Amino acid sequence: ESPATDLSKMSWDDIVAQAQEEGEVSWYVWYFQDRFRPVVEAFEAEYGIEVTIPEGTGQGNADKMLAERGRDVGDIDVFAWGFNDFDTVDVTELFLPLDMLPEDEGRVGELLGVDGKGHVVAYWGNQTGIAYDPAHVDEADLPQTADEIAAFWAENPGKFGFNYEKGGSGPSFFQNMIRVTADLDMADGEVSDARLTAAEKGFALFQEQADDFVVTASNVDSITRLSDGELWMVPAWEDHLAGLQNNGEVRGDIKFYIPEFGMNGGGNGVAIPVNAPNPAAAAVLIHWLTSADVQTMFNQTFGTAPMHAEADDSAALVPNAQRANQTAWGAQPFRGELEKAFIEQVILER
Amino acid sequence: MTARRWITVLLLLAPGLGLIVGMIGMVVYIAVAQSFGLYNLNGESVLTVAHWAEMLDRKLYTRAVRYSIYIGVWSAVLSVALAYPLAIWLRKPFRGSITVGAILKAPLLVQGLVAAFLFINVISFHGILNQFMQGIGLWDAPRRLQNDRGAFGVLFLQTWKNMPFALLLLTGAVQAIPDDVLDAARDMGAGTFARFRKIIAPLSLSAMQAALVIIFIGAVADFSFQVIAGPTNRQSLAQLMVFVRQTSWHEAAVVGVTLMVIALVGSLLLAVIARLLLRGPASR
Amino acid sequence: MSDILAHNLTMQFDQFTAVGDVSFTVAQGEFVTLLGPSGCGKTTLLKMISGFLHPTAGRIHIGGVDVTRTPPEHRDTALCFQSYALFPHMTVRGNLEFGLRQKRVAGRDRVARVAQIAQQLSLEPQLDKLPNALSGGQQQRVALGRALSMQPSVILFDEPLSNLDAKLRDQVRLEIKRIQQDNDLTAVYVTHDQSEALALSDRVIVMRDGRIEQIATPENLYHAPATSFVADFIGNANVMPAEVIGEADGGGWLLDSRMGRLVSRDVNDPQAKHINIAWRPERAHVSPEGSLTGTVVSRAFQGHFTDLHVATGGQTYRLQVAASDAIVGGDITFALDPGDVLMLEPLR
Amino acid sequence: MSDILAHNLTMQFDQFTAVGDVSFTVAQGEFVTLLGPSGCGKTTLLKMISGFLHPTAGRIHIGGVDVTRTPPEHRDTALCFQSYALFPHMTVRGNLEFGLRQKRVAGRDRVARVAQIAQQLSLEPQLDKLPNALSGGQQQRVALGRALSMQPSVILFDEPLSNLDAKLRDQVRLEIKRIQQDNDLTAVYVTHDQSEALALSDRVIVMRDGRIEQIATPENLYHAPATSFVADFIGNANVMPAEVIGEADGGGWLLDSRMGRLVSRDVNDPQAKHINIAWRPERAHVSPEGSLTGTVVSRAFQGHFTDLHVATGGQTYRLQVAASDAIVGGDITFALDPGDVLMLEPLR
Amino acid sequence: MTQARINSVLMGALLIICAVWLIIPFTMAILWSLVDPAQPWTPDNLLPPEMSTFRWTNMWENSALKPALLNSYTLAPTTAIVTLLLAMPTAYCLARVPFPGREAAKLLVLLPLVVPGFVTAIFFTAILFQLGLTQSRFLAILFAHCILFLPFAIRILTVSFEQVRQDHIDAARDLGASPVARFRAAYLPALRPGIFASLLIVFIQSIEEFAIAFVVGSPDFTTVPTLLFSRLGQDFIRPDAAVLSLILVVPNIILMLFLEAFLKSANPSLSSGKA
Ligand SMILES: Nc1ncnc2c1ncn2[C@@H]1O[C@H](COP(=O)(O)OP(=O)(O)OP(=O)(O)O)[C@@H](O)[C@H]1O
Ligand SMILES: Nc1ncnc2c1ncn2[C@@H]1O[C@H](COP(=O)(O)OP(=O)(O)OP(=O)(O)O)[C@@H](O)[C@H]1O
Ligand SMILES: [Mg+2]
Ligand SMILES: [Mg+2]
């Protein structure tokens, strides 16, 4: 018997009732588990459903979700993932359609050029930008354009670092640099030799000053080295930086901004695996997570960009003016080809 | 070989090799199939060599192959080369030899990731190595040592973590060589090196092969040391695998299967080369 | 020059003294045999000379140089191990060549030398076998060949022939002697086989419990053993206490023993009134005129002679007689020549 | 019942035939010795009897039961290994006790048995040592003791005394014989020492190149060797071809050989006109009236006799003579009794 | 130079190497574990600016550490022992029974080591799920770990089995030893180092393994690597990781010394008599 068919035919009240009968829900989220646990206490209090947030890693959770495909009943009720990660699998096959949720226009079902197809909704919005060490870089002198970045490299060789492979903030940086330098329309996903040749103008910027910037190993590596004083500026995720500061892992005085040439926003989504043991409770949790109130609360607690149209987004870490600099991720498959070409022509040639 | 004998062999192999082939054989098949477009997690499966063609064409891939082999071979060779003298030294128990053995083996017990972070801390821009070198006046300014291009950091970590393993294997083998045989070699005028080259190494060949092969396989597939301490202008195969997995499972599988082939063929070659170099005992 | 000088050598294993305060010399080109009961310290002594064991005390000089602390690989000695100690992963040829390779003997010479040794030791058919496919005696010959092929200035043999049959042993013994003499090697040889010791050696060192009992030429050892231990050990003499009563008519000494009255015409004079005397089993001759009689208790055929145990005066003695029709239980009458009755150390 | 029956046993290692088509029996309680040159297949044969080697062909029965495929642990045999094969991590006591523990001999009996064996083999002081702290001879005695302590119905010895000195060897030999007789054990004994073989055995099997050359009692073997190989191997006879010319006056046969004319009064008649003949070195007696002369080429003192090599008629012969004043280079005249000239197999 | 001199010189050298080898890493780990959350430790400071045991108490009280320790320390030793037992027959066969294809078999044994991590994590566990082994998460992980780490045990023990001397086996059999007695008398002394090595290696591998233990075990059955990895992942809490790894290292070292003492009781060189 498939719980999926059951739920879609049930009224929301029945679903809530069943959820309370199920009494528990496991939420596999790959970051901030320690900080989410207190947050979901409100949910537990409201519905009387106990939420388990297991320890784990992004890849571990994904592996578990995929490994459990064949099981009749798995362990995961709610599965959180980077919104673009959902693109690597067939969401319609792996996850329940979320049509059992009460109608809510404010929810975000498409993000970063990825369509959740009604099986995934966003609950967490975040932003890439550049973290900097105010001890060395004056807020007033922050480079805002590609040329200013290049000038910064030239003036301060070895003080700017980014990573190209892991975690997205580095790719966001170089893609946007190339976008503005080569004047590319990233919303167009079409791959053509002409467009890739055009991009080479952007690569040239990096090639010419290859010795002036540092390639780091990961987001974490970038921020750590910034905190250590080795680097002065690194691309980073806003929430990630905040989390590390909160943990006492890096210096609290490090600052963050979104340059004017624009950097990408991002987000995480949640979905219910088809074999979730407590599908009703899962639906109720997702309903709660994506509600305007909770999104407002996330904005206040974590400084995230709310993923609900009606939520209040006034508590962001960066001034709202800078938020305007957010750009969208490029469309596939061109974005992928651009990344490949960048790696081959810039990274591997260093 | 009689049928009876074959049955004995098969029964003996069943709980070990049998289990391995039975359980992992299927997994290997899936990996290979996936590299040819089957077992698609994102839509329909189509049998194709396109993913192989795509990957083989990329500089990133060919570099990764070469780089992983480099790391694998050097890690194995360095670990074994360092472990041998220590194993020979520890052949005869002496006062404190147990402690020495335990100290040398301690890195085995430290999680690789943690070791890598600690290592990075030591060599980082403002880390104690830089401070020490500046302190004694050898260097004027801090140097950027982390993620070095020659991958010496990775090799250091690999050796740090694997040398104890080689030591563990070699100590047993070296201890099993009778004193008399070593004495006889000395008596014939064989110096330390000749004794090692002609007696100890051939007689512990099989332990050495096991150590080489296992370390090689581990290092070829290195992920954690590479992502933390490896050079940033190239990727190891395991790193590449995780990287391309973000976009295509099949291409990740291509890298994975490459890794498997390199690991198996490489370990075979290493074992054969070790034997040829040392002309060890023909199998008994 | 490669004479050996051992000076107050002592070797202790924990509490146990395997070799105690032993001194001797072996001249350049001399062939000296170590003889002594199992466990008396022969191997220990050889291992000290070749450098595997560091003497607890004492010094060793080879060719006038103090080598006490020289490691084995720098001593020009070769030891033929009692335990063979063949290199298990090398063929017989590899084993035989090993030392030569270390000495960087040119390929040609090496091949020739190995071929010659293999031929001398009848090892040709085995050259390409691994040691574990060899019989015990073949292994032993490889161990011997490995040492011989080195032609070092000092060569040490630890029971090199114990697993060979009599014929082969004779043959190999000759080869050993030839190689030793041709190359003027200084040799120390351990054996349990007295006839080997007597036939090969310039001098024999008899050891007992880690100490030297007597050093002498083979003839001297046989004819004038210093102690009853030596007399007994070499040639299995019948030893018994006796009292020297006085000089005998016609020379020699008159002795009183449990066997009755005997006359000794030994080369040495008695050292005390109460001494040990000895006579050798093969020196008794059965003859009806003999003055001695006893009952045959056992009889063992030994080829060209027969071993008898004969009881007389409450003691049992050993006699070796030529083909004899003595039967167990019967009586036998025999005589001893005064020259064959040896007078040994005083009784304590 | 534990007689041994070996039927057409063959053992091949790859191409090489170590034992070829060998058949023999050993009766319950009998003591049989295997004698033969190094590498002739003695150890291989013992290993087949004890079950470590599976014969390529042929069958083995012990006590009437076909054991060809029975694993060693289920054969009531004990082998004293030529290589000792002591358990290195067990003390001497542990080694000696091992078999008894397997047989679940009660603690008391075990202790008593071990104490007794240790005493018989003079191993008491070594009981608590590990094998690698023992001398070669001590190790060998432990190996022997381990087999003896088992008192199996079939006991196999592979050169158990080769590393012992003559005195100890005599003593241990007696113990072996005593234990074998007291317990009525069937014994197969490998030795290189002829006197040991002749003294201990009920029968001797002489092997050569993996085949049996002769099976006989010691006396027969000595006095009536079947072939020149046996004559030569046992007692080192001087073998030479001869032509039978006819019967001699006063019995026996007249022979023509390179040494000149000889008379043989062998127990067997000649089997052909051209045969091998043999005489033993110790049978020659030096006497001025002797009909044979030669030049002494070498001389080796052997204690109670002297070994001479004497050249005559372009050949060299071996003589064993009692104390002699023969000098190298001088001539010697000797005689042979017709009864000592043995007629062997026809010439091929 | 005498052996004693050599030993003392080497010991001296070793002390210096040890500093690089162990003392620095371990001191760093300890210092990291003492970093107070209030003030991050950047490497330009020789010591953490503010030290406390907050990380330790926090980890002990506010995480699944206690059950994870219990789980890991039941799982790993069990895996080590079961793997050893499963590996013995194969190792014996590879070392002592000649059969055609033995070299190929030796290579095949390595398969679990060469299979890419994500394939193991997704597909191997999927097979475990399909086999219905997940009734008990403990048993499923145990089973998976045994298979994954068999190559270590098999290859290590193969080497040891090769070192058993045939004449010791023969002697034991000849003296009527039962298979067990034979094993103890002839095999065990030569196998000891191999048994020690494979127990230790498999134990460590099992206690460090994350992917399978997580996929199969989560959410009920948590092991220490899960805690460790989640702190070294996105959130990257170095002080917590240091605490965790120190918590693991100490019992491991004790265990290693214990095993070593237990298995190495007098290690006479395995030779005597004639080879
Ligand atoms: N495993 C083997 N492979 C090949 N040949 C072997 C093997 N074992 C023994 N042989 C050969 O078989 C022959 C008989 O060996 P065996 O050990 O039986 O001799 P043996 O009579 O005991 O000799 P010894 O008196 O020297 O101990 C020898 O020539 C030996 O080289
Ligand atoms: N490592 C050791 N530890 C303790 N005692 C030892 C050690 N090595 C030898 N011994 C003892 O020292 C004594 C002398 O041994 P050695 O090997 O020199 O005797 P050997 O004269 O060669 O005897 P064999 O003729 O039996 O070979 C023996 O009693 C032996 O038990
Ligand atoms: Mg000795
Ligand atoms: Mg033999």
Side-chain angles (χ1 to χ4, degrees), chain B residues 181 184, chain C residues 83-88 95 131 134 138-140 142-143 146, chain E residues 275:
Chain B
V181 168
Chain C
S83 63
Y84 312 158
L86 301 182
F87 305 128
N95 271 279
L134 295 183
Q138 288 163 347
Q139 289 180 27
Q140 190 166 41
V142 177
R146 194 173 59 175

Side-chain angles (χ1 to χ4, degrees), chain B residues 13-28, chain E residues 83 86-87 90 94 105-115 124 127 143-155:
Chain B
L13 292 181
L17 187 58
L19 260 185
I20 288 176
V21 172
M23 297 299 300
I24 300 295
M26 185 64 195
V27 179
V28 171
Chain E
T83 307
L86 288 175
T90 296
L94 292 180
K106 273 186 169 177
L107 206 61
L108 270 186
V109 159
L110 299 170
L111 272 186
L113 298 186
V114 304
V115 177
F124 182 43
I127 292 176
F143 180 71
H145 278 191
C146 286
I147 289 173
L148 280 192
F149 306 137
L150 262 173
F152 293 103
I154 291 178
R155 291 299 296 251

